Amino acid sequence: PLIQLMVFGYAVSTDIRDTATFVVDQDQSQTSRALVTALTASGYFRVSGRSDRPQDAVRALEDGSAIVALDIPVGFSDALRGNQGAQVQMLFDGTNSNTATVAMGYAERIVQTYGARLSGTPLTGGVDLRERAWYNPDLSSRNYNVPAVVGAIILLVCLLLTSLAV
């Protein structure tokens, strides 16, 4: 138990660094490029791909080449200058929910700080989170329970076989 405590205490980490991020910059402005720079300068995110089509971001999340996708819409810089509530969309791969949650927290803070710095106003509001399950859109419990039961049975069989062998 002491060895496990040391190993898990120092080896297991929830910190994220250089999280693969796919950028869809439809605005193509200096302001949108500065937002991407603010994300990457933090050290938490690195750009793994770029495009001007949102479907490429979805493809990058689905094939695992990105964990985060940033979509900057047309008119982002104009909305920021006019104080019209500029918005960006960030998509997170939720297959590893811990990594996605930590990345979302970092991204939220970076984007909020960036927006507040440009507008000269204090931080207000937050991320409007709209969760959507891509891998199980109906949220059918059998898609979760059956693999879990199979895994538990395999684990028990392995434990029984190894304990009987000793």
Side-chain angles (χ1 to χ4, degrees):
L2 290 175
I3 293 172
Q4 286 179 331
L5 175 67
M6 296 302 289
V7 169
F8 290 144
Y10 292 100
V12 177
S13 173
T14 59
D15 296 339
I16 62 166
R17 287 275 178 223
D18 296 321
T19 305
T21 305
F22 194 90
V23 176
V24 177
D25 187 357
Q26 299 176 59
D27 193 46
Q28 296 293 324
S29 66
Q30 183 178 358
T31 308
S32 64
R33 286 188 295 275
L35 174 60
V36 174
T37 301
L39 279 171
T40 57
S42 68
Y44 299 122
F45 303 96
R46 73 172 162 74
V47 175
S48 62
R50 292 180 183 268
S51 177
D52 56 355
R53 299 179 322 182
Q55 58 267 30
D56 292 340
V58 172
R59 191 173 303 112
L61 289 171
E62 287 177 347
D63 70 20
S65 61
I67 296 172
V68 178
L70 170 65
D71 185 1
I72 304 171
V74 175
F76 170 73
S77 59
D78 294 335
L80 263 178
R81 270 185 261 130
N83 285 332
Q84 300 170 358
Q87 296 181 356
V88 295
Q89 181 181 33
M90 295 196 79
L91 304 169
F92 298 88
D93 180 2
T95 51
N96 184 341
S97 61
N98 189 46
T99 300
T101 302
V102 172
M104 188 179 75
Y106 288 147
E108 176 183 9
R109 189 63 178 177
I110 292 166
V111 170
Q112 281 181 339
T113 303
Y114 175 78
R117 190 180 70 231
L118 283 182
S119 67
T121 58
L123 290 177
T124 59
V127 169
D128 178 18
L129 176 63
R130 297 179 191 166
E131 292 186 40
R132 185 178 76 192
W134 287 356
Y135 53 90
N136 185 8
D138 298 330
L139 296 176
S140 176
S141 63
R142 74 175 175 277
N143 293 353
Y144 298 110
N145 292 340
V146 171
V149 170
V150 169
I153 290 170
I154 290 172
L155 176 71
L156 289 173
V157 168
C158 289
L159 286 173
L160 286 173
L161 290 176
T162 56
S163 65
L164 292 175
V166 177

